[in-house]
Amino acid sequence: MKFHRAVALLLLVAFISPLVAQQAPRTPNAQRSRTLKSSEMAAIEQDFAEALSLVEENYVDGNRLNYNNLIKSSIIGMLRSLDPHSNYYDRREFEELRNDQRSEYYGIGASIVDRRVGNQTDTYILATFENSPAALAGLRFGDRIVAVDGQPMRGRPSAEVRDRIRGPRGTVVKVTVERAATGRIETVEITRDAVAQPSVPDAYMLRPGVGYVDMTRGFNVTTAEELEEALERLRQRGMNGLILDLRNNPGGFLDQAIRVAEKFLSDGQVILTQKGRNLTADRTYRATNNSPDMTPLVILISRGTASASEIVAGAMQDHDRALIVGENSFGKGLVQSIIPLDYGAGLTLTSAKYYTPSGRLIQRDYSNGSYYDYITRGGVGSQDEEAPTVTKPTGPESHTDTGRPVYGGGGIMPDEQVKPRLIKPEQQRLIDPIFAFVRELVNGRIAGFDSYRVQRPIEYNHELQPTDFPVTDALYNAFKSFVANNPAYKNLASLIEPNQEFVRRQIRFDIVTAAYGTTAASRVYVADDPQVARAIELLPRARELALAARNRAPRQKSFE
């Protein structure tokens, strides 16, 4: 016990000491200040040691303490007292963060979900990714994961199953599945490999002349290159208007946000200004592009649009280069430095604030309320039908290049408010029986619908057509019968008709997932999305706004 306590104290001191040293002021009284810091450090160490001893001696489960968790929570608590975005990551979490940033992770390359089929909730394969180990191993839609490396997974949440499946590149994992097609139990040995996680998973023509780019996943090391490739493909197909989807994009690398923004801005236009604690951190970023893409642009945002994606949206709005559609973005105007620590851990520490070209600091106030309230009030978790989707930020007024008023202090306020289409609680309850029905359907076990059988590998890169797997009235009625005659779901039968539009869409989504994968299936949701539909309607206005901005002398903002 004493050994563990000593290690815990050493870890905490080793973590705090460099941070304290970095904060030592460079003044004539620096030596005295450093002495004071050292004294404070000794007091903190003593208080921590005393608190740890009290926990060891008096806590009901003190003989089973997890010292790693104790230290981790102590560090996180310290950082969270600064702001909500400074954070500590242990070795595994920091490696996952690095994987996200480099657009890949190490695993088998399959999308898995929790689904209740009958009376049991288990983890199922939704789809595999192209050329992934899981695809090569023949895993299919609806296969139930029974065990991983001999450990039973029955009833375990998909997050736990995922963590067991992932592992070092080149290692072997044994995945035991119940085949959806046959019901047989099989164990497949899969060698883990790098699995690509593109930040621009899809780009296609919504209608003649109108391109759509999915950028909902985040900004990683290849985002700007992926976007340029997507734009080139769309130009070749006759694009003359663009919808850029940044909804729920959590952000990522600052340099990638700058490179994305400058694709649409003229040479010399400000993208953002960064101001840190020291003058060396202050910097203004400008576009360096002599031939920007001038395609009329509408950008979709949501409450989950944050950080780097807000930089792009804010720059486009301030320069009147795009119309912003949707709801208020998250409101994160802080820049984090990623700092590796010893033993593979790391942290993100807020090192600067950024301002949009018009001078807006979009950071939402976090001085009142809990961390949970801050995250959920602005993020995806807060979305409900009753909550307002657009509110005027509380910060000062600024102006775009054409003089339109915009505001700081609360994210990016859209130029055009359009409420998102949300999944209601009763619709959420129908997802499980829909999945169970489609699992039977694509394996040929729903009589009269042989054309919906999908007993082949996923056909990746399929260009989804409106005629692919339509949900006819006959198929819809077959689903109603399936629910009514299944004891596990029949209590949900009354929910189907009031939610017919959702049911039809979700059935097609699951079928398309089985046949063409998750990327193609996402198009099912986009096809009749009300925010996307409004964005298309606003493209002519976006063109007029961009032309008006180009005809005005550029406005630059001075930050003092």
Side-chain angles (χ1 to χ4, degrees):
M1 190 72 73
K2 291 183 179 179
F3 171 77
H4 289 305
R5 178 171 53 185
V7 171
L9 289 170
L10 284 172
L11 285 173
L12 189 69
V13 172
F15 177 82
I16 296 176
S17 296
L19 297 182
V20 172
Q22 290 174 16
Q23 304 304 317
R26 296 184 176 89
T27 67
N29 295 320
Q31 184 60 46
R32 178 184 175 189
S33 297
R34 279 194 292 269
T35 302
L36 180 60
K37 295 289 185 182
S38 177
S39 174
E40 291 174 350
M41 185 66 200
I44 292 171
E45 182 181 344
Q46 182 177 346
D47 288 345
F48 185 86
E50 183 178 353
L52 188 58
S53 295
L54 289 171
V55 170
E56 290 173 337
E57 295 168 4
N58 298 288
Y59 180 59
V60 64
D61 290 323
N63 59 339
R64 291 185 294 161
L65 292 177
N66 185 318
Y67 284 86
N68 179 66
N69 287 344
L70 282 173
I71 295 301
K72 179 180 175 181
S73 60
S74 299
I75 297 171
I76 290 175
M78 175 180 67
L79 294 173
R80 290 278 165 78
S81 71
L82 305 176
D83 65 76
H85 298 291
S86 293
N87 200 10
Y88 169 78
Y89 302 85
D90 62 26
R91 178 185 297 180
R92 182 182 62 81
E93 293 168 338
F94 198 56
E95 180 60 26
E96 288 183 359
L97 177 66
R98 292 297 201 190
N99 287 339
D100 290 341
Q101 291 169 344
R102 63 175 177 247
S103 307
E104 65 181 21
Y105 67 91
Y106 299 143
I108 66 171
S111 177
I112 62 176
V113 291
D114 292 327
R115 290 288 183 264
R116 177 172 170 262
V117 175
N119 294 315
Q120 179 70 38
T121 299
D122 286 306
T123 299
Y124 290 83
I125 302 290
L126 261 190
T128 58
F129 307 142
E130 187 173 11
N131 298 321
S132 69
L136 298 176
L139 297 184
R140 302 280 179 82
F141 174 90
D143 287 349
R144 181 170 69 89
I145 298 179
V146 176
V148 177
D149 287 332
Q151 295 294 315
M153 293 293 110
R154 187 171 180 83
R156 303 285 182 87
S158 59
E160 180 180 341
V161 177
R162 177 205 64 196
D163 289 344
R164 288 183 176 272
I165 289 176
R166 291 186 180 183
R169 187 176 193 173
T171 58
V172 173
V173 60
K174 296 180 180 180
V175 182
T176 303
V177 296
E178 178 192 74
R179 294 293 190 178
T182 64
R184 290 199 301 265
I185 303 295
E186 300 178 11
T187 298
V188 291
E189 293 189 2
I190 306 175
T191 301
R192 299 179 176 101
D193 202 351
V195 179
Q197 290 268 270
S199 57
V200 183
D202 205 8
Y204 56 97
M205 301 299 290
L206 287 169
R207 61 176 61 178
V210 179
Y212 169 87
V213 174
D214 181 346
M215 279 185 59
T216 57
R217 293 186 177 181
F219 287 75
N220 56 42
V221 293
T222 60
T223 298
E225 294 177 5
E226 291 179 45
L227 176 60
E228 183 54 46
E229 292 172 1
L231 293 175
E232 182 57 33
R233 292 197 305 271
L234 295 177
R235 293 186 198 107
Q236 292 175 0
R237 300 185 61 181
M239 177 181 68
N240 54 37
L242 174 63
I243 311 299
L244 186 63
D245 195 345
L246 293 178
R247 290 176 295 183
N248 296 325
N249 185 311
F253 284 127
L254 173 63
D255 70 305
Q256 292 296 307
I258 292 166
R259 291 182 59 191
V260 167
E262 70 179 359
K263 290 183 183 298
F264 303 101
L265 296 177
S266 298
D267 195 54
Q269 286 189 299
V270 173
I271 298 172
L272 80 151
T273 297
Q274 178 178 296
K275 292 182 70 65
R277 176 178 176 178
N278 303 313
L279 292 178
T280 55
D282 293 358
R283 183 173 178 182
T284 296
Y285 295 89
R286 300 176 184 272
T288 56
N289 189 353
N290 291 319
S291 56
D293 188 317
M294 298 309 298
T295 306
L297 177 63
V298 175
I299 294 178
L300 297 172
I301 65 172
S302 68
R303 298 181 207 180
T305 301
S307 190
S309 52
E310 290 178 294
I311 288 174
V312 173
M316 297 300 105
Q317 187 179 53
D318 283 3
H319 289 303
D320 296 300
R321 178 60 187 86
L323 279 176
I324 311 299
V325 172
E327 52 187 345
N328 281 45
S329 65
F330 183 89
K332 180 179 181 293
L334 305 179
V335 179
Q336 280 73 48
S337 295
I338 299 174
I339 305 172
L341 301 173
D342 291 340
Y343 310 109
L347 61 87
T348 54
L349 186 66
T350 298
S351 55
K353 299 177 181 179
Y354 76 80
Y355 299 80
T356 70
S358 68
R360 289 184 285 170
L361 174 63
I362 65 165
Q363 177 60 45
R364 189 157 43 88
D365 179 39
Y366 53 82
S367 59
N368 297 315
S370 68
Y371 172 79
Y372 176 82
D373 289 339
Y374 171 79
I375 294 297
T376 58
R377 185 163 51 90
V380 181
S382 68
Q383 295 193 3
D384 61 72
E385 290 187 293
E386 302 301 323
T389 59
V390 173
T391 56
K392 180 180 174 180
T394 57
E397 179 178 308
S398 298
H399 295 89
T400 70
D401 287 358
T402 61
R404 297 185 302 142
V406 286
Y407 303 89
I412 304 295
M413 188 172 74
D415 301 306
E416 184 88 6
Q417 173 188 357
V418 181
K419 288 188 176 182
R421 180 176 60 202
L422 303 176
I423 297 179
K424 301 175 182 179
E426 59 267 28
Q427 294 171 345
Q428 186 68 45
R429 296 177 64 192
L430 290 169
I431 288 178
D432 286 340
I434 290 172
F435 175 82
F437 172 74
V438 173
R439 189 172 186 256
E440 299 298 298
L441 177 70
V442 299
N443 286 291
R445 295 192 288 266
I446 302 295
F449 295 95
D450 286 347
S451 62
Y452 289 83
R453 292 185 67 169
V454 182
Q455 293 189 320
R456 54 170 174 75
I458 289 175
E459 185 181 335
Y460 300 103
N461 302 313
H462 175 80
E463 195 71 24
L464 189 66
Q465 303 297 321
T467 54
D468 291 330
F469 300 112
V471 180
T472 62
D473 289 344
L475 185 61
Y476 173 72
N477 289 328
F479 170 70
K480 290 201 295 184
S481 297
F482 173 83
V483 172
N485 294 320
N486 191 313
Y489 305 124
K490 64 181 181 180
N491 63 319
L492 302 176
S494 63
L495 301 179
I496 297 175
E497 199 59 36
N499 295 286
Q500 181 176 163
E501 181 182 338
F502 167 80
V503 168
R504 288 177 178 269
R505 185 186 308 112
Q506 189 66 28
I507 289 175
R508 186 165 185 251
F509 174 86
D510 278 356
I511 300 171
V512 172
T513 298
Y516 306 127
T518 53
T519 298
S522 66
R523 299 188 183 189
V524 173
Y525 289 144
V526 172
D528 61 349
D529 187 299
Q531 292 179 325
V532 173
R534 183 57 179 152
I536 295 172
E537 294 173 356
L538 289 171
L539 277 170
R541 203 172 108 196
R543 179 184 291 108
E544 295 172 1
L545 183 66
L547 286 174
R550 290 184 67 188
N551 292 331
R552 294 177 64 94
R555 298 159 54 92
Q556 302 298 339
K557 181 72 178 180
S558 175
F559 298 91
E560 302 295 344

